[in-house]
């Protein structure tokens, strides 16, 4: 007799097969899903096995951390000679800037970072104070701190300072009145004048510090100065050029702007730097002399401005025509239209573009080493051709590559973060 | 009833008339610009006179008197005993074009490969591609050129201890030397076969496309193209009895004799430009592929297309529209960046003409102007070609 089997309760769910879950499942799905994926995985493991141990050995295990010259390095180990970086650290950071003045660029950098934090991250307070300070006050402060007073004796007398202060107060007053009566041109002129006067007073007065020579600037300091001045000049000039390029009612201005932007953008930076180096002195009137750093700054800033103009133009083109028309119909004039309606929207769109242009410019500062400025790259090159540190090019290059990478990579991550923040459309 | 319109508006102030203001602003700008230019020109004239330099292009006809390139790498047969600054210019131009063309081809391949790898579902492959792209993008190109040259290529063994690859190719710290082909009589037919192959492929592709449009039948165009462009010339080569010889390099004394020598400078510049620009192109390719809406892929799967066909028929053609404009500017960047050759002594136009010739003659304005003119022309040509190509792949809208 047979007995019927009737199940009276549910069988509990079985776990997925062992090959489909846990580490094994993940491996099967990701690393070994097809034959070519498996092959790629194995090849990569093999390459990592070949490459990683020597790299670790070179940077850490057989590296020499303390040495007085390359012979000691060679004797002590076959790896990197970090002792050279240690001994030449100040050269890498400041060039020949006097040691007793190191606090000045340091302070400038600290002020910058502190003022920048609220601008970068929304959660921190004080954005409304820090952003205008960075744009208007900071360049003057940085110049005064790093450079010290510039020889302009007439500004430094008490009368001179009094005149400048009076002019400054007048300009600010004019700017304010201008805004109230919507007299935009007056307001613009007033604020611009106030800014320049502040700048000149700071530059000539220099916080009472001892002046420094520009040809002593070097290393990371010079790299950051070039990048900083480049961006500070490029952004306003780039906005002006971009606006000029779109000013269809003024064909001559349009033509000049297009000509400038396109010519600069289609030639290599090195030729612009050569031009600044060899042709700028010819353009200057007799007796007026620019030093090397100043010439490079001029060339670099003009170059940066042309690229920035194209980025800003992208933002202007993205603003719908209705916005311009709406502003016109409200009776706003061109200046107010730009300041209140168009530029805030356009610049917000292109912030990621501006950041990536800035990364490009930061990397491009290394080109000044070709025209003989002692930036980070040239300091590295001088290091391994120095009689004491011959043949240590790998150490020097790896060190500065890491510096460049850290700065550029963090900027590009920040730009991606911004893109995500500003991207409000649909995401997959 | 009629509505009476009363012209109560006062005549607008001239200053508020946009037309008048536009004209006035332009006049001011033109006056400022012209006076600025005039000021510069007068300063320059004074300065040049003081330095005793006469402006003009006569210097181009003068004998240069220096050897701008190594004798083994002399594409224009520069002769130091009689050639002029104009010949230096041509030599530089040829070398610039050479590195630009080589770099563009290689960077495109590297960029497309890594752009696709970056989208791989294998996290390891993805990570390696990302590490390459991010690592290379965030380090200055000039530093990379120097690392390739001083750090890698100059660290190779000296000529006498060259790395020997099958007794054919030798690599040392000065150059890579490989067998050079010697074309004998009859090789012309192979070249003709190659050209015929390309032309035939072109017409075959058009015919296949038309047939597919009308009948829906597909034609294995890739393999037939392969056969026509590569197979056919090889057949002709064999039929002609291989009219091709190789000049194999040989170490004689301190140098290699024979073969074709590729200098370390060229190799370093080529590698650095390729990998640097390749990393940017890879990002453009990735962005282009991601820009194709997922619905397109799903629709293709719903139609029953296999993943490979989906990629080649649906995704890539649409991605190209997004990819072409940024890649164009990468090509332009590569061409401009080739000017960094000056850092390692590759004889490009900036190095030999704007560097050495300028130092020798002091004709800053003429030489820098000519060099900039060259780059302007190259840029215009590349963007014209790519605009034409872009128009072909661009979306045709109503």
């Amino acid at each position: 007799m047979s007995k019927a089997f009737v199940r009276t309760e549910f069988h509990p769910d079985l776990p997925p097969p062992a090959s489909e879950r846990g580490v094994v499942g993940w491996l099967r799905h990701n690393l070994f899903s097809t034959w070519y994926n498996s092959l790629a995985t194995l090849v990569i493991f093999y390459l990592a096995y070949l490459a990683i141990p020597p790299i670790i050995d070179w940077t850490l295990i057989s590296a020499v951390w303390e040495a007085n010259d390359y012979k000691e390095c060679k004797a002590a180990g076959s790896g990197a000679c970090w002792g050279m970086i240690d001994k030449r650290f100040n050269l890498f950071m400041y060039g020949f800037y006097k040691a007793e003045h190191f606090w000045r660029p340091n302070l400038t950098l600290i002020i910058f970072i502190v003022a920048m934090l609220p601008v970068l991250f929304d959660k921190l307070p004080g954005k409304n104070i820090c952003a205008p300070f960075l744009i208007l006050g900071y360049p003057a402060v940085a110049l005064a701190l790093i450079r010290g007073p510039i020889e302009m004796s007439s500004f430094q007398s008490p009368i001179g300072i009094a005149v400048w202060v009076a002019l400054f107060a007048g300009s600010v007053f004019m700017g304010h009145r201008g805004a109230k009566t919507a007299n935009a041109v007056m307001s613009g002129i007033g604020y611009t004048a106030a800014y320049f006067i502040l700048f000149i007073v700071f530059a000539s007065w220099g916080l009472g510090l001892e002046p420094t020579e520009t040809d002593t600037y070097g290393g990371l300091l010079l790299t950051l100065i070039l990048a900083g001045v480049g961006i500070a000049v490029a952004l306003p000039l780039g906005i002006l050029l971009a606006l000029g390029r779109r000013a269809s009612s003024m064909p001559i201005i349009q033509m000049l702007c297009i000509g400038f932007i396109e010519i600069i953008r289609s030639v290599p930076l090195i030729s612009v730097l050569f031009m600044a180096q060899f042709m700028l002195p010819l353009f200057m009137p007799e007796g007026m002399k620019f030093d090397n750093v100043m010439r490079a700054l001029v060339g670099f800033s003009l170059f940066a401005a042309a690229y920035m103009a194209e980025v800003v133009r992208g933002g202007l083109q993205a603003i719908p025509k209705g916005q311009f028309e709406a502003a016109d119909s409200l009776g706003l004039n061109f200046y107010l239209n730009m300041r209140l309606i168009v530029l805030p929207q356009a610049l917000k769109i292109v912030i990621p573009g501006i950041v990536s242009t800035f990364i490009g410019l930061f990397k491009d500062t290394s080109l000044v080493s070709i025209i003989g400025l002692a930036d980070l790259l040239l300091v590295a090159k001088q290091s391994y051709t120095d009689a004491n540190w011959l043949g240590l090019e790998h150490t020097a290059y790896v060190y500065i590559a890491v510096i460049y990478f850290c700065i550029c990579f963090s900027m590009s991550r920040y730009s991606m973060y911004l893109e995500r923040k500003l991207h409000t459309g649909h995401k997959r | 009833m009629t509505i009476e319109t009363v012209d109560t508006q006062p005549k607008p102030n001239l200053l508020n008339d946009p037309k008048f203001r536009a004209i006035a602003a332009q006049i001011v700008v033109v006056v400022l610009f012209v006076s600025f230019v005039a000021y510069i020109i007068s300063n320059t004239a004074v300065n040049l006179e003081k330095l005793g330099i006469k402006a003009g292009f006569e210097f181009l006809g003068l004998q240069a008197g220096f050897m701008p390139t190594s004798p083994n790498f002399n594409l224009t047969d520069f002769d130091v005993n009689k050639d002029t600054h104009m010949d230096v210019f041509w030599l530089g131009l040829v070398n610039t074009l050479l590195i630009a063309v080589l770099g563009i081809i290689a960077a495109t391949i590297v960029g497309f490969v890594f752009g696709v790898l970056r989208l791989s579902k294998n996290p390891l492959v993805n990570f390696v591609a990302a590490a390459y792209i991010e690592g290379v993008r965030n380090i200055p190109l000039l530093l990379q050129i120097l690392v390739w040259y001083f750090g890698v290529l100059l660290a190779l063994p000296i000529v006498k201890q060259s790395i020997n690859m099958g007794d054919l190719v030798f690599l040392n710290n000065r150059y890579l030397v490989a067998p050079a082909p010697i074309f004998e009589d009859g090789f012309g037919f192979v070249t003709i076969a190659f050209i015929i192959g390309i032309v035939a492929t072109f017409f075959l592709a058009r015919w296949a496309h038309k047939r597919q449009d009308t009948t829906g039948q597909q034609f294995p165009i890739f393999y037939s193209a392969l056969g026509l462009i590569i197979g056919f010339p090889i057949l002709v080569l064999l039929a002609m009895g291989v009219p091709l010889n190789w000049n194999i390099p040989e170490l004689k004394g301190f140098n290699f004799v024979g073969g074709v020598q590729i200098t370390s400078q060229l190799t370093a510049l080529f590698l650095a430009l390729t990998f640097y620009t390749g990393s940017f192109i890879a990002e453009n390719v990735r962005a282009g592929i991601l820009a194709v809406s997922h619905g397109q892929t799903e629709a293709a799967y719903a139609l029953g297309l296999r993943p490979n066909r989906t990629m080649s028929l649906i995704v890539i053609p649409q991605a190209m529209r997004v990819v072409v404009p940024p890649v164009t500017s990468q090509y332009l960047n590569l061409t401009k960046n080739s000017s960094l050759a000056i850092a390692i002594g590759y004889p490009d136009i900036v190095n030999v003409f704007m560097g050495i010739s300028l130092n020798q003659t002091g004709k800053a304005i003429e030489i820098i102007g000519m060099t900039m003119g060259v780059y302007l022309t190259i840029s215009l040509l590349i963007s014209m070609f790519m605009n034409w190509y872009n128009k072909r792949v661009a979306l045709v809208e109503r």
Side-chain angles (χ1 to χ4, degrees):
Chain A
M1 235 176 94
S2 65
K3 203 174 170 189
F5 173 76
V6 178
R7 171 169 274 180
T8 52
E9 60 202 31
F10 277 115
H11 187 277
D13 284 348
L14 284 174
S19 64
E20 292 295 318
R21 70 197 151 104
V23 180
V24 178
W26 185 85
L27 285 176
R28 269 173 59 99
H29 275 286
N30 290 297
L31 299 186
F32 300 99
S33 54
T34 55
W35 67 266
Y36 50 83
N37 250 338
S38 314
L39 186 70
T41 306
L42 292 178
V43 167
I44 289 172
F45 272 125
Y46 180 64
L47 290 180
Y49 164 74
L50 284 187
I52 292 175
I55 291 175
I56 291 177
D57 179 63
W58 188 82
T59 45
L60 299 172
I61 296 168
S62 19
V64 183
W65 299 88
E66 263 178 65
N68 289 316
D69 58 24
Y70 73 100
K71 285 177 197 135
E72 285 181 28
C73 272
K74 292 255 156 84
S78 55
C81 181
W82 302 126
M84 171 181 78
I85 308 294
D86 181 42
K87 285 279 180 315
R88 296 176 69 93
F89 182 74
N90 285 344
L91 273 173
F92 272 103
M93 291 298 121
Y94 306 97
F96 290 102
Y97 205 76
K98 276 190 199 150
E100 70 255 35
H101 294 155
F102 282 171
W103 65 271
R104 286 158 58 170
N106 293 350
L107 182 64
T108 316
L109 188 65
I110 290 170
I111 296 176
F112 178 75
I113 292 171
V114 169
M116 204 62 189
L117 283 176
V119 179
L120 294 183
F121 302 104
D122 286 344
K123 281 170 195 152
L124 295 170
K127 191 177 184 176
N128 292 338
I129 305 168
C130 288
F133 167 73
L134 276 172
I135 296 169
L136 298 175
Y138 185 75
V141 173
L143 179 73
L145 268 174
I146 294 180
R147 176 75 172 82
I150 296 167
E151 272 305 313
M152 285 189 283
S153 50
S154 63
F155 302 141
Q156 277 141 354
S157 66
I159 302 171
I161 291 177
V163 169
W164 284 112
V165 169
L167 277 175
F168 177 69
S171 312
V172 172
F173 178 70
M174 196 167 93
H176 266 311
R177 266 195 62 80
K180 263 181 204 153
T181 56
N183 194 338
V185 179
M186 292 288 274
S187 151
I189 293 174
Y191 282 125
T192 315
Y195 171 58
F196 274 109
I197 290 163
L198 194 69
F199 200 79
I200 291 171
V201 169
F202 254 105
S204 56
W205 183 42
L207 298 170
L209 296 168
E210 194 185 320
T212 55
E213 295 301 323
T214 49
D215 53 9
T216 61
Y217 301 176
L220 187 61
L221 171 66
L222 181 62
T223 298
L224 289 177
I225 289 177
L226 281 164
V229 173
I231 198 82
V233 175
L235 202 53
L237 197 58
I239 293 174
L240 284 182
L241 282 169
L243 290 175
R245 192 176 180 153
R246 284 176 57 84
S248 49
S249 60
M250 296 186 268
I252 296 177
I253 291 179
Q254 212 178 5
M255 219 174 61
L256 288 175
C257 289
I258 292 177
F260 177 82
I261 294 171
E262 291 304 325
I263 288 177
I264 295 283
R265 269 165 46 89
S266 59
V267 300
L269 171 57
I270 190 70
S271 66
V272 177
L273 288 176
F274 263 82
M275 200 170 110
Q277 195 73 353
F278 292 106
M279 282 161 76
L280 206 60
L282 294 178
F283 293 162
M284 291 293 132
E286 277 188 283
M288 189 164 164
K289 269 200 183 133
F290 273 9
D291 56 23
N292 261 351
V293 175
M294 200 63 204
R295 281 185 233 165
L297 278 177
V298 170
F300 194 68
S301 306
L302 291 180
F303 182 80
Y307 279 81
M308 202 53 85
E310 283 301 273
V311 174
V312 175
R313 181 168 77 119
L316 290 176
Q317 280 179 349
I319 305 297
K321 214 169 174 235
Q323 296 284 326
F324 291 87
E325 290 166 354
D328 283 344
S329 69
L330 283 175
L332 297 183
N333 61 23
F334 178 77
Y335 176 81
L336 286 176
N337 184 353
M338 287 298 138
R339 208 188 74 189
L340 300 174
I341 310 290
V342 176
L343 283 181
Q345 300 186 65
L347 291 181
K348 191 179 154 193
I349 299 174
V350 293
I351 287 175
I354 292 176
V355 177
S356 56
T357 311
F358 186 56
I359 297 173
L361 292 175
F362 185 80
K363 286 185 292 176
D364 280 345
T365 56
S366 60
L367 265 65
V368 298
S369 67
I370 293 177
I371 57 169
L373 261 58
D375 78 324
L376 199 52
L377 190 61
L378 194 64
V379 170
K381 217 172 163 185
Q382 284 166 347
S383 294
Y384 71 79
T385 47
D386 186 290
N388 278 332
W389 304 104
L390 280 178
L392 294 174
E393 59 265 26
H394 292 96
T395 306
Y397 284 151
V398 167
Y399 178 63
I400 63 167
V402 168
I403 295 180
Y404 277 116
F405 179 81
C406 289
I407 296 176
C408 294
F409 187 68
S410 47
M411 282 195 287
S412 83
R413 288 291 116 170
Y414 178 73
S415 142
M416 285 166 116
Y417 155 78
L418 268 185
E419 255 169 81
R420 272 199 305 279
K421 206 176 77 178
L422 299 175
H423 181 73
T424 45
H426 294 287
K427 276 172 222 164
R428 201 188 295 166
Chain B
M1 219 177 93
T2 55
I3 299 165
E4 277 181 39
T5 55
V6 184
D7 191 17
T8 50
Q9 265 192 345
K11 216 172 175 239
N13 189 338
L14 199 59
L15 274 174
N16 286 336
D17 180 9
K19 267 188 196 151
F20 172 78
R21 275 163 54 146
I23 293 170
Q26 291 190 82
I27 290 175
V28 171
V29 168
V30 167
V31 168
L32 283 178
F33 181 72
V34 168
S35 43
F36 178 68
V37 170
Y39 177 68
I40 281 180
I41 290 177
S42 77
N43 279 338
T44 311
V46 172
N47 284 326
L48 285 180
E49 196 166 281
K50 234 178 50 189
L51 291 170
I53 302 173
K54 253 173 65 187
F57 287 93
E58 293 85 24
F59 75 96
L60 286 175
L62 299 177
Q63 192 189 325
F66 63 90
M67 189 63 193
T69 180
S70 77
N72 304 320
F73 181 72
N74 194 346
L75 296 177
T76 57
D77 289 325
F78 190 88
D79 182 356
V80 68
N81 292 319
K82 63 178 205 311
D83 277 352
T84 61
H85 286 292
M86 196 63 207
D87 297 303
V88 176
F89 175 82
W90 287 122
L91 176 91
L93 182 58
V94 167
N95 285 332
T96 294
L97 292 177
L98 173 75
I99 189 70
V101 171
L102 290 178
I104 284 175
I105 295 171
T108 311
I109 297 169
V110 169
F112 272 78
V113 168
F114 277 92
V116 173
L117 288 185
R118 183 78 177 78
L119 291 167
S120 162
K121 288 199 184 73
N122 184 335
L124 222 49
V125 174
N126 199 330
F127 174 78
V128 168
Y132 154 68
I133 293 171
E134 291 298 332
V136 169
R137 267 161 68 95
N138 287 314
I139 293 174
L141 174 62
L142 184 57
L143 177 57
Q144 293 184 35
I145 293 176
L146 294 180
V147 167
W148 277 112
Y149 186 62
F150 291 106
V152 178
L153 294 174
L154 286 195
L156 290 170
I158 56 169
V159 177
K160 281 214 131 180
Q161 297 154 4
S162 294
I163 300 168
N164 186 340
M165 292 176 246
D167 275 337
L168 292 173
V169 179
F170 300 89
L171 180 66
N172 58 55
N173 65 355
R174 281 173 50 205
Y175 45 75
L176 176 99
V177 57
I182 304 170
F183 305 112
E184 286 165 12
D185 293 345
F187 193 79
F189 290 105
V190 181
T191 321
I192 294 170
F194 181 68
I195 295 169
I196 291 174
I198 291 176
V199 174
T201 307
F202 178 73
F203 284 108
L204 188 72
R206 275 180 59 167
W207 168 80
H209 200 95
K210 225 179 223 164
R211 192 181 74 152
Q212 191 179 349
D213 279 352
T214 48
T215 66
Q217 283 174 306
Q218 287 178 354
F219 187 80
I221 190 70
F222 178 74
Y223 291 105
S224 39
L226 211 64
L228 275 172
I229 296 178
I230 296 173
F232 181 49
I234 288 178
L235 279 180
V236 173
L237 186 74
L238 294 175
M240 297 296 296
V242 195
L244 181 68
N245 253 326
W246 295 96
N247 181 0
I248 292 164
E250 240 183 304
L251 185 63
K252 279 198 181 143
F254 291 105
N255 249 320
F256 279 90
V257 178
V260 53
Q261 293 190 359
I262 300 160
T263 56
S264 300
Q265 289 98 332
L266 175 61
T267 317
L269 192 63
F270 170 74
L271 289 172
L273 282 173
T274 299
F275 286 115
Y276 185 75
T277 316
S279 72
F280 283 87
I281 293 180
E283 280 296 270
N284 295 336
V285 169
R286 181 173 82 109
I289 293 177
L290 286 181
V292 178
S293 135
H294 200 53
Q296 296 282 332
T297 319
E298 288 168 346
Y301 288 163
L303 284 174
L305 288 180
R306 300 192 52 75
N308 279 341
R309 303 294 284 170
T310 307
M311 202 67 181
S312 65
L313 292 177
I314 308 291
V315 178
I316 301 258
Q318 297 189 68
M320 284 314 276
R321 289 181 190 137
V322 186
V323 170
V324 167
V327 167
T328 310
S329 64
Q330 288 311 324
Y331 288 169
L332 293 175
N333 280 345
L334 188 145
T335 311
K336 287 184 280 171
N337 284 337
S338 71
S339 61
L340 296 183
I342 192 170
I344 55 169
Y346 173 76
D348 85 322
I349 190 162
V350 168
N351 187 3
V352 294
F353 193 60
M354 204 158 89
I356 310 175
S357 281
L358 195 157
N359 265 340
Q360 293 217 342
T361 59
K363 304 273 186 190
I365 297 170
E366 295 87 342
I367 286 181
I368 292 176
M370 279 174 78
T371 314
M372 285 186 157
V374 165
Y375 281 103
L376 264 174
T377 318
I378 297 175
S379 295
L380 280 177
L381 289 178
I382 293 184
S383 36
M384 263 162 63
F385 173 74
M386 291 310 274
N387 279 344
W388 167 80
Y389 180 70
N390 193 26
K391 244 184 217 142
R392 274 187 51 136
V393 295
L395 190 64
V396 182
E397 285 188 86
R398 279 165 285 145

